[in-house]
Amino acid sequence: MSTDPVQVDRISGQTTTGHEWDGIRELNTPLPRWWLWLFYLTIAFSFAYWIVYPAWPLASSYTAGLFGYTNRGRVAEELAAGQAARMQAAAGLETATLAQIAADPKLTEIALAEGKAAFGDNCTPCHGSGGQGQRGYPNLTAGRWLWGGTLDQIHGTITHGIRADDPDTRASAMPSFGKDGILKPEEVREVANYVRTLGGLEPEQGVDVAAGKKIFADNCSACHGEDGKGNIDMGAPNLTTKVWQYGSDISDLIYTITYARNSVMPAWGKRLDPVTIKSLAVYVHSLGGGT
Amino acid sequence: MSSTGQPHHGGSLFSRHHILETSPILLVLGILVMVAIGGLVEIVPLFYLKSTIETVQGMRPYTPLELAGRNIYVREGCYLCHSQMIRSLRDEVERYGHYSLAAESMYDHPFQWGSKRNGPDIARVGGKYTDSWHVAHLIDPRSVVPQSIMPSYGFLMTTALDTRALVDNVATNREVGVPYTDDMMANVMTDLKAQVSPDAPEAAALLKRYPKAVVRKFNPATPEITEGDAVIAYLQMLGTLVDFKLYDDKANLR
């Protein structure tokens, strides 16, 4: 590039910039008016913005703007408005008892809708999108409840969790019969086979099921009952229902008896508000709850 | 304008930009000045304004196990798909919980806010799921969340945690301002083991040094401390430290 005297271009009538490359010169065309005015407008806008919104830092604070706008204040307002709208639709859920909700079809309908939404975000990762459960996580539609299937029992379980970090949590601990040496490996196998027969499954060939029955009576019946029908006060599952939370294979049962599963459910009372928990209880009860 | 002689573009101030535009050095200097002004006005106040970081109760440095888990979180690039930043928007607050506070990241080096959400935000995932769920989910995400697109991190459950750099790592964090006490510094390896040994006497001392720490064997499949233990310890702590009962929302509007 060489410096070249500014000239007037003959065709366009425009001056050149004074740059010249091998005889090619650059026109000094001004920016379009509309563009320039938009640019000035944005500058003017920024001055207005400084006045209206929080903008400039000061020594120990900042300019708050004419209306004292805060982002966090706005989200608090929006949350309150959302809550108010929801409460308008769900008026009554807050004060009604679970029994009153169950008795009132309109309240039930609202609780089901609220509960379904909350279930989708909070419960489906373990219990599945339809409450069908999966290995290790109970099926809520089977009508079989470890800790009871009434509205109040479900509500209690959701609020305080199972073996969770909560003073009122539902807690019980099945011993690790094999790991802690309470039963010998062959005894574990015998009782596992007996448990299979409780659920109507075939035992293995050549295993003494009668011995397993005796071991069951001595070690398991205190919680699972003489007949293996379980005890919801201990969260001890009914072993006769053909619903197997950790599988019904002999190896699964041997693992369960050897190490004990003692599964955990978080306490939701700390995380969700009371209306949501009530709604969840109604929704979960609708999936397979009992009276 | 003349048609000969040196470039001449009029006399007003607005017409003199050609001085900058025709001199690369002046242009670079001009840009530097502009950027410096922007930085001074937008960044510097964050360091001296008290309102930048909220006053909260409950924040503490990471326990050694959580810190090790956090390092694995960074190593595996979890931040590429998971944010740890609940924005102050209604839908986010309703789904994830209270919006994230600056105070909740004040001991993070580097912070893990992320900017991408292929997976959900996990700023407050602590306590939401059980340890066994995390184990199952890290080994095979689709076994518990059928629609998940997360890769498997099953190797974390079988890889022993490399703790060689942990003491230095804690010291480095202290160097850059994380308030690790001498007591904490002296017990890094003890605390690391105590956090997965709930029955050990050292667990109480750990909880005293690091209140609200979750003490459990997170990955019960192995007796030794695996990377899975560290990651799950970190996940179970996320978002649980600040006591929102004592947090004054109104005093921290901004």
Side-chain angles (χ1 to χ4, degrees):
Chain A
M1 185 188 93
S2 68
T3 317
D4 180 59
V6 170
Q7 300 172 11
V8 176
D9 178 55
R10 256 184 296 158
I11 296 163
S12 64
Q14 188 59 253
T15 51
T16 65
T17 58
H19 299 159
E20 182 261 321
W21 294 266
D22 296 339
I24 300 170
R25 295 186 178 83
E26 185 184 25
L27 291 180
N28 189 16
T29 314
L31 290 161
R33 286 269 143 153
W34 65 266
W35 191 96
L36 210 56
W37 280 110
L38 272 182
F39 178 61
Y40 294 145
L41 202 66
T42 59
I43 293 173
F45 178 84
S46 72
F47 280 97
Y49 194 97
W50 293 346
I51 295 164
V52 176
Y53 284 102
W56 285 91
L58 306 172
S60 64
S61 64
Y62 51 88
T63 56
L66 275 186
F67 307 114
Y69 172 89
T70 64
N71 181 272
R72 291 176 174 187
R74 196 181 66 165
V75 73
E77 278 167 30
E78 286 181 357
L79 282 169
Q83 188 65 13
R86 193 177 294 155
M87 279 302 117
Q88 209 172 4
L93 278 191
E94 202 159 17
T95 50
T97 64
L98 286 164
Q100 284 167 338
I101 296 172
D104 182 339
K106 189 154 177 290
L107 281 181
T108 307
E109 194 188 334
I110 296 162
L112 284 177
E114 290 259 332
K116 189 172 185 199
F119 191 90
D121 185 37
N122 297 297
C123 314
T124 52
C126 295
H127 291 289
S129 54
Q132 75 276 18
Q134 52 190 315
R135 188 185 163 88
Y137 303 100
N139 183 339
L140 305 175
T141 66
R144 199 203 75 163
W145 299 88
L146 291 170
W147 297 91
T150 68
L151 268 175
D152 283 325
Q153 285 164 330
I154 294 171
H155 187 265
T157 304
I158 297 172
T159 309
H160 302 297
I162 298 165
R163 300 181 189 93
D165 184 16
D166 182 299
D168 298 320
T169 192
R170 300 200 186 279
S172 68
M174 175 165 150
S176 307
F177 285 99
K179 186 172 143 233
D180 294 346
I182 304 167
L183 296 177
K184 295 192 205 64
E186 61 269 24
E187 290 175 320
V188 170
R189 182 169 286 271
E190 283 161 1
V191 77
N193 275 281
Y194 173 68
V195 169
R196 268 175 70 84
T197 65
L198 284 175
L201 298 166
E202 285 291 312
E204 288 176 297
Q205 294 287 322
V207 174
D208 189 349
V209 177
K213 183 172 183 179
K214 177 150 192 324
I215 297 163
F216 187 89
D218 293 343
N219 294 283
C220 316
S221 59
C223 295
H224 290 284
E226 303 268 319
D227 49 5
K229 292 222 164 113
N231 180 352
I232 56 167
D233 294 332
M234 320 279 281
N238 184 339
L239 303 170
T240 67
T241 56
K242 300 180 183 169
V243 178
W244 303 94
Q245 192 176 328
Y246 287 93
S248 61
D249 283 359
I250 191 69
S251 56
D252 292 331
L253 286 170
I254 287 175
Y255 188 97
T256 301
I257 297 166
T258 305
Y259 295 102
R261 308 278 187 172
N262 291 322
S263 53
V264 177
M265 170 169 146
W268 295 90
K270 294 185 231 177
R271 226 181 157 89
L272 304 175
D273 63 84
V275 171
T276 304
I277 292 186
K278 258 189 230 177
S279 306
L280 271 175
V282 172
Y283 176 73
V284 171
H285 183 263
S286 78
L287 296 175
T291 45
Chain B
M1 286 184 201
S2 65
S3 58
T4 55
Q6 285 305 301
H8 183 257
H9 298 267
S12 82
L13 184 69
F14 280 108
S15 313
R16 289 192 185 275
H17 49 81
H18 70 93
I19 297 172
L20 285 171
E21 287 166 6
T22 50
S23 164
I25 299 218
L26 277 182
L27 189 64
V28 165
L29 286 177
I31 290 170
L32 278 178
V33 168
M34 280 310 293
V35 171
I37 291 173
L40 281 170
V41 173
E42 294 191 359
I43 300 170
V44 171
L46 298 177
F47 290 94
Y48 70 78
L49 284 182
K50 288 221 163 31
S51 60
T52 303
I53 298 185
E54 310 84 355
T55 313
V56 295
Q57 301 292 318
M59 280 309 291
R60 58 153 172 82
Y62 294 107
T63 67
L65 188 64
E66 289 162 8
L67 189 66
R70 202 184 121 83
N71 289 340
I72 296 165
Y73 183 96
V74 176
R75 182 191 76 193
E76 296 302 330
C78 305
Y79 59 88
L80 291 166
C81 290
H82 290 284
S83 58
Q84 287 187 28
M85 162 54 73
I86 303 167
R87 293 173 290 181
S88 48
L89 301 169
R90 178 185 158 188
D91 55 337
E92 300 215 354
V93 173
E94 292 204 327
R95 175 169 178 191
Y96 299 121
H98 197 288
Y99 48 79
S100 295
L101 303 176
E104 290 179 284
S105 309
M106 64 184 167
Y107 301 144
D108 286 5
H109 297 284
F111 66 77
Q112 295 296 306
W113 297 341
S115 58
K116 193 108 166 62
R117 280 190 186 157
N118 291 6
D121 186 280
I122 54 174
R124 297 201 191 285
V125 83
K128 187 171 184 183
Y129 305 112
T130 61
D131 300 337
S132 64
W133 185 90
H134 279 298
V135 170
H137 182 250
L138 285 167
I139 292 173
D140 179 7
R142 273 155 300 286
S143 74
V144 283
V145 184
Q147 70 275 30
S148 171
I149 55 166
M150 183 169 128
S152 163
Y153 291 91
F155 62 90
L156 296 177
M157 302 302 156
T158 50
T159 312
L161 183 66
D162 182 353
T163 57
R164 285 172 299 179
L166 196 56
V167 174
D168 289 343
N169 194 193
V170 171
T172 310
N173 269 274
R174 175 160 148 152
E175 195 72 25
V176 293
V178 181
Y180 281 103
T181 62
D182 293 337
D183 191 26
M184 290 168 170
M185 300 279 287
N187 289 288
V188 171
M189 296 314 282
T190 323
D191 285 344
L192 178 82
K193 294 188 187 83
Q195 198 168 358
V196 291
S197 324
D199 301 328
E202 291 85 5
L206 166 83
L207 279 170
K208 207 163 183 189
R209 281 189 277 273
Y210 303 94
K212 285 196 189 176
V214 183
V215 181
R216 280 196 297 256
K217 182 72 178 90
F218 299 92
N219 168 26
T222 55
E224 77 269 23
I225 305 176
T226 59
E227 294 189 337
D229 283 301
V231 167
I232 297 173
Y234 174 61
L235 293 174
Q236 293 290 34
M237 173 280 313
L238 283 178
T240 62
L241 294 183
V242 167
D243 189 340
F244 278 96
K245 286 203 182 76
L246 300 176
Y247 173 70
D248 188 354
D249 253 331
K250 293 228 162 48
N252 288 291
L253 292 180
R254 58 200 61 143

